[in-house]
Amino acid sequence: MENKVVAVVNGREITEKDVDITIASFPKERQSYLQNEKGRKDLINQMVDFELSYNYAKDSGIDKDEEFLKQLEAAKKQLMIQVAVSNVLARATVSEEDVKNYYENNKDQFKTQELITARHILVDTLEEAKKVAKEIEEGLDFSKAAEKYSKCPSKAQGGSLGTFTKGQMVPEFEKAALELDIEKVSEPVKTQFGYHLIVVDNKNESTAKSFDEVKDSIKSMLLQQKQNEKYSEFTKELRGKYSVEVK
């Protein structure tokens, strides 16, 4: 495919390929504009202006200016540091076996949380809780009892607390809900808020995620760890090689 010349500035050709490379350096949202006819034309004009500015800078001796040379040296130093560190980090590798071993030895990290869907009735005293429990035992629907007796705002939804996981409820309530059989009304449970009667409607047990689900995140985590180790070893070695005095 012909690499058409789109402009010549002081003998230096700007080609279609140069324009394409420049477009590719822009963020994706900007590229769509630069790829249409007007955007491309604007970019070529900008590239021409930059080339003209470069020629002016050379002719003006800016490349010999003391401030320019300081900035050039600083930029060179920064680039050399980046390349040196990148080379060190590139030595860090993680094998498939490393990832599998980590998964097998740390399966607890990859368990989904147990989910509990429950309703409750909250009253002030143990006597009230026992009275409501007796009415439910005699046939009063739990949700109706919640609407009638509960002092919790959830009474408007029949006492429904929705679905929650460990750590979202006070410890006494959570312990009772975790131990309770589905659809069985609990004994009165005392918390800082009062006395609860609890019904668990559903439980989704905690399950371990499969290796395929988590292998990419494990590999990324292990790679970062190994890169940190390589960098630490590298800088420690350099401190032994070169003199350092921190004041």
Side-chain angles (χ1 to χ4, degrees):
M1 184 177 177
E2 183 184 2
N3 187 19
K4 182 182 175 183
V5 175
V6 295
V8 181
V9 181
N10 201 26
R12 194 265 181 185
E13 294 181 344
I14 298 174
T15 67
E16 292 278 8
K17 186 175 181 180
D18 294 328
V19 177
D20 290 337
I21 291 171
T22 303
I23 290 174
S25 69
F26 282 86
K28 292 287 185 185
E29 59 271 17
R30 178 69 174 159
Q31 288 181 25
S32 58
Y33 167 72
L34 295 174
Q35 284 167 345
N36 66 43
E37 186 177 351
K38 185 180 185 307
R40 199 173 182 88
K41 183 178 179 181
D42 289 345
L43 179 60
I44 291 170
N45 283 326
Q46 189 178 58
M47 291 174 72
V48 167
D49 290 342
F50 284 165
E51 195 64 32
L52 288 169
S53 298
Y54 173 65
N55 278 271
Y56 167 78
K58 285 198 302 180
D59 291 346
S60 301
I62 288 178
D63 57 337
K64 297 178 178 63
D65 179 77
E66 184 178 347
E67 184 58 32
F68 169 80
L69 292 173
K70 282 183 182 178
Q71 291 186 35
L72 180 63
E73 187 60 30
K76 178 182 175 183
K77 178 181 178 180
Q78 190 62 37
L79 182 59
M80 289 177 70
I81 291 170
Q82 289 176 7
V83 173
V85 172
S86 293
N87 289 342
V88 171
L89 299 185
R91 298 174 199 160
T93 58
V94 176
S95 68
E96 185 79 3
E97 186 178 359
D98 292 332
V99 178
K100 284 182 179 177
N101 286 340
Y102 187 89
Y103 174 76
E104 292 298 330
N105 294 329
N106 299 275
K107 280 189 175 180
D108 284 348
Q109 290 185 19
F110 308 108
K111 283 185 175 180
T112 60
Q113 286 190 298
E114 183 173 7
L115 299 175
I116 300 172
T117 304
R119 290 171 288 156
H120 82 141
I121 298 168
L122 176 63
V123 293
D124 289 320
T125 67
L126 178 60
E127 290 70 24
E128 286 179 275
K130 287 181 176 179
K131 176 179 176 294
V132 176
K134 189 172 187 302
E135 288 191 37
I136 293 170
E137 188 179 344
E138 291 173 351
L140 179 61
D141 180 75
F142 189 93
S143 293
K144 295 294 183 185
E147 292 173 8
K148 185 176 180 180
Y149 294 111
S150 183
K151 67 174 187 175
C152 177
S154 64
K155 65 187 292 181
Q157 290 80 44
S160 175
L161 296 169
T163 301
F164 55 90
T165 61
K166 283 186 178 181
Q168 291 184 298
M169 298 296 176
V170 292
E172 303 91 341
F173 187 101
E174 180 182 284
K175 183 176 184 296
L178 287 169
E179 295 174 354
L180 194 61
D181 291 334
I182 291 176
E183 296 184 358
K184 181 180 177 182
V185 180
S186 73
E187 294 295 323
V189 177
K190 184 180 180 181
T191 73
Q192 66 199 70
F193 303 107
Y195 289 84
H196 306 256
L197 296 174
I198 306 167
V199 167
V200 172
D201 294 315
N202 189 40
K203 288 183 182 180
N204 288 326
E205 300 293 333
S206 173
T207 57
K209 292 182 179 179
S210 70
F211 175 70
D212 285 339
E213 287 180 284
V214 298
K215 65 180 181 181
D216 289 341
S217 61
I218 294 175
K219 185 172 183 178
S220 177
M221 182 266 294
L222 291 179
L223 182 60
Q224 186 172 25
Q225 286 183 355
K226 290 200 173 187
Q227 286 177 337
N228 289 340
E229 290 170 7
K230 288 290 183 185
Y231 182 72
S232 180
E233 291 168 4
F234 171 66
T235 54
K236 185 177 180 180
E237 181 184 335
L238 294 183
R239 285 172 181 267
K241 184 176 181 179
Y242 302 107
S243 62
V244 177
E245 184 180 356
V246 180
K247 297 183 179 180

